[in-house]
Amino acid sequence: NAGVTQTPKFRVLKTGQSMTLLCAQDMNHEYMYWYRQDPGMGLRLIHYSVGEGTTAKGEVPDGYNVSRLKKQNFLLGLESAAPSQTSVYFCAVARTGGEPDTQYFGPGTRLTVL
Amino acid sequence: AQSVAQPEDQVNVAEGNPLTVKCTYSVSGNPYLFWYVQYPNRGLQFLLKYITGDNLVKGSYGFEAEFNKSQTSFHLKKPSALVSDSALYFCAVRKFNTDKLIFGTGTRLQVFP
């Protein structure tokens, strides 16, 4: 089992370009999350999904869009990249929202916007 | 407002000595608390969590954490540090009545041989 995978691992964009980050899981978990990690700020939630076909905003959603067309995939899109979106992006999955469940993280995508 | 604080940016400890990484929290309702570790260029790995019950929670790699309700703390501990424990440690609390975690800013643990 691969667990949680993220594609790509690294990417460099120019300001204004667009891209999509893919998170894929083989854990059959309902909940999926996108975070960004910046030095000195910990992890901040961008968007999340509680099941196939659903999405919701997190703490810092501006400039990002998401889709969850299939249970196993959660896509994060940047329509017009800005230097402020330079960050490391992590996807996480969790089984359920009942008892506080453990979130399992992917290896991350390092994005640089020039 | 719910939050979690990690007051130390970095903790240095000699190999073989006990280590403590501090975390304090502020939540509505019952606190659900987590510790994660991040090794260089890797994603976060779950160490342990407190939901209810015994205040001393044991986790992976010999780590444990002590929940203290009166001091609103959830400090991570290990009796004998290893050089391989050197990493970035995050405390997190589940936001009340949601499925979202709030993370602290992280503490870098450096274990010296």
Side-chain angles (χ1 to χ4, degrees):
Chain A
N1 287 350
V4 183
T5 59
Q6 293 183 231
T7 309
K9 290 185 169 51
F10 304 94
R11 186 72 186 269
V12 178
L13 291 178
K14 294 181 179 179
T15 297
Q17 288 185 317
S18 63
M19 78 164 294
T20 300
L21 283 67
L22 170 63
C23 175
Q25 56 135 338
D26 62 5
M27 303 174 74
N28 202 34
H29 283 3
E30 290 294 331
Y31 289 68
M32 298 186 76
Y33 306 81
W34 275 109
Y35 293 91
R36 58 178 290 173
Q37 182 182 23
D38 302 292
M41 302 190 74
L43 274 77
R44 292 180 293 168
L45 182 64
I46 305 171
H47 286 282
Y48 66 105
S49 169
V50 301
E52 181 179 322
T54 74
T55 62
K57 293 181 180 180
E59 183 185 356
V60 288
D62 293 344
Y64 305 95
N65 57 74
V66 288
S67 64
R68 182 100 180 265
L69 298 180
K70 295 182 179 180
K71 182 178 182 179
Q72 63 268 34
N73 295 339
F74 194 30
L75 302 174
L76 178 70
L78 286 74
E79 290 185 349
S80 179
S84 60
Q85 294 177 304
T86 293
S87 187
V88 182
Y89 292 85
F90 289 101
C91 175
V93 304
R95 185 172 47 200
T96 178
E99 178 181 290
D101 200 22
T102 301
Q103 291 188 16
Y104 298 94
F105 285 79
T109 295
R110 186 174 295 274
L111 174 66
T112 301
V113 182
L114 303 176
Chain B
Q2 295 168 96
S3 63
V4 60
Q6 294 181 244
E8 301 155 317
D9 290 336
Q10 181 153 332
V11 170
N12 299 317
V13 64
E15 189 174 33
N17 283 1
L19 69 88
T20 299
V21 182
K22 296 179 181 178
C23 173
T24 59
Y25 65 89
S26 172
V27 298
S28 301
N30 293 326
Y32 300 128
L33 298 154
F34 300 77
W35 275 103
Y36 285 84
V37 59
Q38 184 180 31
Y39 298 101
N41 300 313
R42 304 286 294 275
L44 276 69
Q45 295 179 30
F46 170 74
L47 278 179
L48 50 81
K49 65 181 176 183
Y50 171 83
I51 307 298
T52 187
D54 195 346
N55 289 343
L56 187 63
V57 180
K58 294 190 183 297
S60 306
Y61 313 122
F63 283 93
E64 56 190 26
E66 186 171 10
F67 171 67
N68 188 316
K69 188 172 183 178
S70 62
Q71 297 185 3
T72 61
S73 66
F74 189 56
H75 299 334
L76 182 70
K77 300 181 179 185
K78 188 174 183 181
S80 179
L82 299 172
V83 173
S84 57
D85 292 331
S86 299
L88 188 57
Y89 290 81
F90 288 97
C91 182
V93 61
R94 192 178 87 156
K95 193 173 181 181
F96 176 69
N97 213 27
T98 74
D99 307 303
K100 295 182 279 189
L101 292 179
I102 300 171
F103 285 86
T105 52
T107 298
R108 187 165 300 281
L109 174 66
Q110 193 74 40
V111 182
F112 295 95

